[in-house]
Amino acid sequence: GAGVSQSPRYKVTKRGQDVALRCDPISGHVSLYWYRQALGQGPEFLTYFNYEAQQDKSGLPNDRFSAERPEGSISTLTIQRTEQRDSAMYRCASTKANKREIGETQYFGPGTRLLVL
Amino acid sequence: GNSVTQMEGPVTLSEEAFLTINCTYTATGYPSLFWYVQYPGEGLQLLLKATKADDKGSNKGFEATYRKETTSFHLEKGSVQVSDSAVYFCALNAVLGSQGNLIFGKGTKLSVKP
């Protein structure tokens, strides 16, 4: 597609429910990043994929968070047993590079705003 | 560790005023530096970047110069427009500690009044 797309754009869920957030990167982009952005803060790194391989998940806050990218394109970030502190904007970005490169431009999607009640 | 500090907002200016948003960083190695912008209702967009010391990034009338001696990457524009109203994020990625991952400042909200 023309840009990175994310769905849903907004998600309201009750505490304890599982949610799945989807990211569709720019066609041909092999690297994919997930970030989380709390209100009034900048985005913070969660995890990174190179093709289908999850090469860095050091930013995932706990084991309720997981991500996959089974065919090296669309990625899903799953949060199990959601808590109110999970409420945030979740952003996805992709790059052309087939490895993490300093200086490479990351292209961001519009984000998914998650609200856990 | 690597970090970015940018001036807190909100910043309110009149149209055609001069804009400076300060950004300083702490990083190991030789980071690349970025300014991203988020217009209302939209996602983050790259505004400009610089990948080595003394480089100047520029776009849409905005400029920022990579100053290694002062570890700064201040964003400037000589004459702002109402359409520049947005949230601006300074960011870096560095060789060590967070290779490839962007580290962002907290963002500075700019409002330009006609």
Side-chain angles (χ1 to χ4, degrees), chain A residues 6-107:
Chain A
Q6 292 185 245
S7 61
R9 294 289 305 273
Y10 302 92
K11 178 69 177 179
V12 181
T13 191
K14 292 182 178 180
R15 187 178 54 185
Q17 298 294 306
D18 298 350
V19 295
L21 312 180
R22 172 186 164 126
C23 172
D24 194 351
I26 293 172
S27 178
H29 279 199
V30 301
S31 293
L32 186 147
Y33 299 77
W34 282 99
Y35 293 84
R36 179 170 70 171
Q37 184 177 6
L39 204 59
Q41 303 293 317
E44 293 184 344
F45 170 76
L46 293 176
T47 187
Y48 160 74
F49 288 85
N50 178 237
Y51 294 97
E52 72 281 0
Q54 187 176 22
Q55 299 198 327
D56 184 350
K57 53 182 181 179
S58 61
L60 296 177
N62 52 61
D63 60 8
R64 295 186 297 106
F65 287 73
S66 62
E68 63 175 7
R69 194 185 183 199
E71 297 179 0
S73 179
I74 293 169
S75 177
T76 303
L77 177 69
T78 301
I79 309 173
Q80 295 180 309
R81 305 180 302 282
T82 52
E83 301 178 5
Q84 288 182 326
R85 59 178 173 160
D86 300 333
S87 297
M89 176 73 84
Y90 289 82
R91 298 193 183 275
C92 172
S94 68
T95 73
K96 286 188 293 186
N98 62 5
K99 59 178 181 177
R100 284 192 285 193
E101 290 188 0
I102 307 305
E104 184 78 10
T105 297
Q106 295 187 19
Y107 296 87

Side-chain angles (χ1 to χ4, degrees), chain B:
Chain B
N2 301 322
S3 66
V4 173
T5 303
Q6 62 181 105
M7 65 186 284
E8 294 192 15
V11 174
T12 302
L13 296 174
S14 297
E15 206 165 24
E16 300 184 2
F18 183 84
L19 169 70
T20 300
I21 301 178
N22 290 337
C23 172
T24 57
Y25 68 88
T26 301
T28 50
Y30 300 95
S32 291
L33 302 172
F34 304 80
W35 278 100
Y36 277 82
V37 58
Q38 183 180 6
Y39 298 104
E42 299 184 16
L44 287 171
Q45 303 174 23
L46 178 69
L47 181 59
L48 53 84
K49 71 179 184 182
T51 58
K52 62 183 189 294
D54 299 325
D55 270 2
K56 177 186 285 187
S58 60
N59 187 24
K60 299 182 180 180
F62 290 88
E63 293 183 338
T65 301
Y66 187 155
R67 301 284 189 202
K68 191 170 188 296
E69 63 276 12
T70 54
T71 62
S72 65
F73 193 55
H74 304 320
L75 182 67
E76 297 182 336
K77 186 174 185 181
S79 177
V80 293
Q81 305 300 312
V82 172
S83 58
D84 294 326
S85 298
V87 181
Y88 293 82
F89 292 92
C90 185
L92 67 83
N93 61 16
V95 173
L96 298 176
S98 60
Q99 185 169 355
N101 310 331
L102 289 168
I103 295 173
F104 287 87
K106 292 185 177 183
T108 303
K109 183 175 182 179
L110 170 66
S111 296
V112 181
K113 306 298 184 186

